[in-house]
Amino acid sequence: MKSLDVKIWSVRKRDTKRPSYDVRWSVAGQVFSESFRTKGLADNYRSKLMRAARDGEEFDTASGLPGSMAEPKATLTWYAFALKYLAKWPHAAPNTRDGINESLASVTMALLNELPGRPADTELRKALRNWAFVLPGPDDRDLPADVGNVLHWVAKASRPLSDLSDPALGRAVLDSLKIKLDGTAAAAETVRRKRRTLVNALLYAVDLGEFRESPLAAVRWQKPKVSSEVDPRVVANPEQARSLLHAVSYVGGYRRARGRRLVGLFAGMYFGGFRPAEAVGLSEPDLTLPDSGWGTALLHRTRPSVGKQWTDSGQSHDDRGLKNRPTEDVRRVPIPPQFVSILREHLDTFGTAADGRLFASEGGGVVSSSTYYRAWQEARILALPPAVAATPLASRPYDLRHSALSTWLNAGVDPTEIAERAGNSVEVLLSRYAKCLDGRQEVANRRIEDLLREYE
């Protein structure tokens, strides 16, 4: 039917229990309509109809749709779509790529039909994680025979992408994100990260015209609650922090200096509030180290530990700017005399790496997260009594940063200044460290007691 016989009416809101918006049009006198949850979706659908009418497309009298909006005949599987979604890879940070890979692998395993010859779950996950959802993709490189067989089975067994229009299936897929491969419960933060990738992928499917709106919009699902507050049990007081830093120097013996060369790295997290990747990337030209008094560190470079398959360079460490900042941004951090002294001693003893980095492995390379994590665990055993070592106190190197920021807040330093030094917003700072502030209850109790006494 020619577009001259088409009449497209305006978007109309329906006042129902769950408000919706209708798009109504007629083809050869026959009225058609579609309902949408939001006015924006309805307006977008109406614009597509109007564009097709202006371009002179033919409208089908059975479906009421032009050829450009007709349902595609070919069925796209979830696995094939997920491979398309990897087009976003070049624009993502390495750790984000790792997260995308893990999320797509989890959803793919949840959307497999039970066909004969199913490989073991460990083989499926290995093939998806190491070969399918990385660039270059499996179609652009040679695969080992066993991996090729596994991915061939996945391609056949993968359910159609359109099946996610069923809310029950969508809920089942979301529930599968709560379970790890070994059958144990996944952490709430892990579930949140995987769900975010799935949501983003389905919005991409909307952009490709596979759905009119995200099918997850119709799914009622309780998201796991993620706590952003720092556990006050991990915060070390100044005496404990000094004891831990001292113990690091004994790790690995004096001659090998496995721990001594890392004392300054951990001190940066405690005295400067550095993130671990910021401390790893610290270079001598970025420091001002006077003979006495406070010094300065200009942070502009991070060296996070990631797998080789996630970086463009093929190196285990990425080389990036500051977290959540423009690449060229610089953060100026005053460093106390104690830290200045530690850095001066480190430079006198170990010098720098070839590229000016302060902290390097025994071979001169970038210090890996596994290296400093192992050293930290050994230092905890040396520094803390067994009963204390069994608690979460400073259980991770990152907890030194938590200890630093908590100490500054309890010292009465202006939160705006602390947030600037730490590279956080004031809102994030106060919300994360609210439970780590000592003395708040006593102050509140005194004020309430004083008020009550006025009426006695």
Side-chain angles (χ1 to χ4, degrees):
M1 184 62 60
K2 296 295 183 181
S3 58
L4 293 176
D5 300 312
V6 176
K7 295 181 180 179
I8 303 171
W9 304 332
S10 61
V11 174
R12 183 181 66 178
K13 181 179 180 181
R14 292 196 306 167
D15 294 325
T16 56
K17 186 174 182 180
R18 296 184 66 185
S20 62
Y21 296 82
D22 286 349
V23 178
R24 303 180 71 223
W25 73 100
S26 66
V27 178
Q30 184 176 355
V31 178
F32 299 88
S33 68
E34 287 286 350
S35 296
F36 299 85
R37 291 184 305 105
T38 67
K39 189 174 186 297
L41 291 171
D43 284 336
N44 182 58
Y45 192 79
R46 178 173 177 267
S47 297
K48 290 181 179 179
L49 290 172
M50 294 180 66
R51 189 181 306 114
R54 286 196 303 268
D55 292 345
E57 289 191 44
E58 293 187 0
F59 281 64
D60 180 58
T61 55
S63 65
L65 295 175
S68 60
M69 296 177 65
E71 293 292 332
K73 295 181 180 179
T75 301
L76 182 67
T77 66
W78 160 263
Y79 176 66
F81 164 73
L83 293 177
K84 283 188 175 183
Y85 181 68
L86 286 182
K88 290 179 172 287
W89 183 292
H91 310 290
N95 279 321
T96 302
R97 295 173 182 178
D98 186 12
I100 291 174
N101 175 291
E102 182 184 17
S103 303
L104 293 180
S106 296
V107 176
T108 300
M109 292 189 65
L111 289 174
L112 294 174
N113 289 313
E114 290 298 331
L115 297 185
R118 178 187 175 101
D121 284 351
T122 52
E123 294 179 5
L124 285 169
R125 189 168 183 82
K126 182 179 179 181
L128 293 172
R129 286 278 277 161
N130 297 339
W131 298 93
F133 300 131
V134 294
L135 290 183
D139 295 334
D140 299 321
R141 57 177 169 164
D142 295 330
L143 304 178
D146 57 337
V147 172
N149 292 334
V150 171
L151 294 183
H152 179 69
W153 184 91
V154 169
K156 292 192 302 179
S158 181
R159 298 184 63 161
L161 177 65
S162 58
D163 283 3
L164 285 171
S165 298
D166 180 5
L169 178 62
R171 188 179 302 107
V173 171
L174 290 170
D175 286 339
S176 72
L177 302 182
K178 298 180 179 180
I179 306 298
K180 295 192 293 187
L181 186 61
D182 60 6
T184 59
E189 176 62 29
T190 301
V191 178
R192 185 187 68 85
R193 185 182 68 248
K194 289 182 178 181
R195 178 185 176 275
R196 183 172 62 234
T197 299
L198 176 58
V199 169
N200 191 273
L202 291 179
L203 290 177
Y204 180 63
V206 173
D207 294 340
L208 295 180
E210 299 296 333
F211 299 106
R212 290 193 290 111
E213 59 178 326
S214 174
L216 292 185
V219 177
R220 296 181 180 273
W221 187 72
Q222 184 66 41
K223 292 184 289 185
K225 295 182 179 180
V226 179
S227 176
S228 61
E229 295 180 337
V230 173
D231 185 348
R233 297 177 298 169
V234 310
V235 175
N237 61 40
E239 182 179 354
Q240 291 168 331
R242 285 195 300 270
S243 178
L244 286 162
L245 291 175
H246 185 67
V248 170
S249 64
Y250 287 92
V251 172
Y254 185 85
R255 294 179 61 85
R256 185 178 176 187
R258 183 163 63 91
R260 286 198 300 136
R261 64 176 68 248
L262 297 177
V263 172
L265 185 144
F266 292 121
M269 301 178 204
Y270 180 71
F271 289 112
F274 301 162
R275 295 181 175 92
E278 294 170 347
V280 171
L282 198 62
S283 297
E284 184 179 15
D286 303 325
L287 299 172
T288 301
L289 304 175
D291 293 335
S292 62
W294 285 67
T296 302
L298 297 177
L299 302 182
H300 61 90
R301 184 186 190 190
T302 61
R303 300 301 303 270
S305 293
V306 290
K308 295 180 179 180
Q309 65 267 45
W310 314 125
T311 61
D312 293 329
S313 64
Q315 302 296 318
S316 297
H317 289 77
D318 195 24
D319 195 345
R320 301 180 60 81
L322 298 178
K323 182 178 180 180
N324 298 328
R325 300 270 187 119
T327 305
E328 66 280 0
D329 204 1
V330 176
R331 191 168 89 243
R332 181 181 181 275
V333 181
I335 54 178
Q338 296 91 330
F339 187 30
V340 172
S341 176
I342 291 173
L343 290 179
R344 291 175 66 89
E345 181 179 352
H346 176 89
L347 287 170
D348 291 341
T349 305
F350 301 105
T352 66
D355 60 356
R357 283 179 294 106
L358 262 68
F359 309 113
S361 64
E362 295 179 69
V366 180
V367 180
S368 67
S369 58
S370 59
T371 295
Y372 64 72
Y373 182 83
R374 286 194 300 268
W376 184 249
Q377 297 308 311
E378 294 180 45
R380 287 185 80 247
I381 296 174
L382 292 173
L384 303 176
V388 179
T391 70
L393 177 70
S395 58
R396 306 172 305 156
Y398 203 105
D399 292 334
L400 288 171
R401 171 177 160 90
H402 294 326
S403 301
L405 273 56
S406 300
T407 300
W408 300 347
L409 283 169
N410 283 308
V413 181
D414 182 6
T416 303
E417 174 66 19
I418 296 176
E420 184 174 344
R421 295 187 184 196
N424 281 339
S425 68
V426 176
E427 293 77 13
V428 169
L429 177 74
L430 294 178
S431 63
R432 294 208 70 191
Y433 295 92
K435 290 183 178 179
C436 299
L437 298 178
D438 293 330
R440 295 174 304 146
Q441 290 186 343
E442 288 76 5
V443 173
N445 289 346
R446 285 198 301 269
R447 291 178 178 175
I448 294 172
E449 187 176 356
D450 292 342
L451 177 65
L452 292 176
R453 283 177 177 172
E454 293 181 9
Y455 293 89
E456 290 180 354

